[in-house]
Amino acid sequence: MRSDQSEDTVENVNTKAGVERRGFIALVVGWCALAVAFGSSAVASVRFLIPNVLYEPSRRFRLGRPEEFPEGSTFMEELRLFVLRKGNSFRALSAVCTHLGCTVNRAADGRTYFCPCHGSHFNETGGVSGGPAPKALSWHEMSVTKDGRLLVDLSRTVQPDKYLVV
Ligand code: FES
């Protein structure tokens, strides 16, 4: 009788220890899951504060010294740009058609522009004078570098009446 009681007692103790162990493991797993959830949420929140930045190549180009440009219009094929010189005044007009992006040409009159793709016409200030182009050609900001070269910024547009005087 005494040994039965002692066996029961040992079983009870083992059962209690098993329940306590399971409870402890469940508690640890629960806290770990909570920590992972809060941790990932915190990482996502911090990541949200950092803006996504798209690094693109610069759209500023050195063109050359002002005296290298003849009076009138010079077409810069690689930039698809007309550099217009009148005395000491310079302007840069985009040759990218605003319809579907073809390169516009100077018309025979030497002042206006036309697009060979779908026939848009642009006047002296780049404004649309005919064809499907939805808006005017853009003028780009020009400046002079420290070493005296013309610089054009294709990411910045200016009004048609804005000149760079050197
Ligand atoms: Fe110039 Fe269509 S791309 S008119």
Side-chain angles (χ1 to χ4, degrees):
M1 191 82 175
R2 212 159 184 222
S3 68
D4 283 352
Q5 279 180 347
S6 69
E7 281 178 21
D8 282 349
T9 306
V10 169
E11 272 181 33
N12 284 344
V13 168
N14 284 343
T15 308
K16 277 185 183 175
V19 168
E20 284 176 12
R21 197 178 308 125
R22 273 185 254 132
F24 175 74
I25 291 171
L27 194 67
V28 168
V29 168
W31 277 109
C32 286
L34 202 61
V36 167
F38 276 117
S40 58
S41 174
V43 168
S45 299
V46 169
R47 179 66 190 93
F48 181 74
L49 296 175
I50 302 168
N52 289 325
V53 177
L54 181 62
Y55 294 99
E56 293 182 342
S58 171
R59 306 261 298 144
R60 301 174 76 195
F61 298 94
R62 289 166 162 241
L63 300 178
R65 297 195 171 282
E67 58 271 17
E68 294 170 4
F69 288 86
E71 189 78 12
S73 172
T74 303
F75 181 59
M76 319 268 324
E77 189 173 347
E78 63 279 5
L79 298 178
R80 301 208 294 166
L81 187 77
F82 291 101
V83 176
L84 306 175
R85 178 178 185 181
K86 189 174 182 184
N88 289 334
S89 304
F90 289 86
R91 296 192 295 168
L93 177 66
S94 171
V96 179
C97 180
T98 55
H99 180 223
L100 293 177
C102 288
T103 303
V104 301
N105 296 324
R106 244 181 129 78
D109 62 13
R111 297 186 343 260
T112 61
Y113 306 87
F114 72 95
C115 179
C117 292
H118 309 104
S120 287
H121 286 265
F122 302 90
N123 62 25
E124 272 182 274
T125 60
V128 180
S129 56
K135 61 181 187 175
L137 298 174
S138 48
W139 295 88
H140 293 287
E141 186 176 88
M142 292 187 83
S143 56
V144 179
T145 61
K146 285 179 186 166
D147 60 353
R149 294 173 190 273
L150 294 176
L151 182 104
V152 64
D153 188 345
L154 297 181
S155 65
R156 300 179 66 118
T157 57
V158 295
Q159 294 297 311
D161 58 354
K162 173 129 176 156
Y163 290 84
L164 168 70
V165 179
V166 293

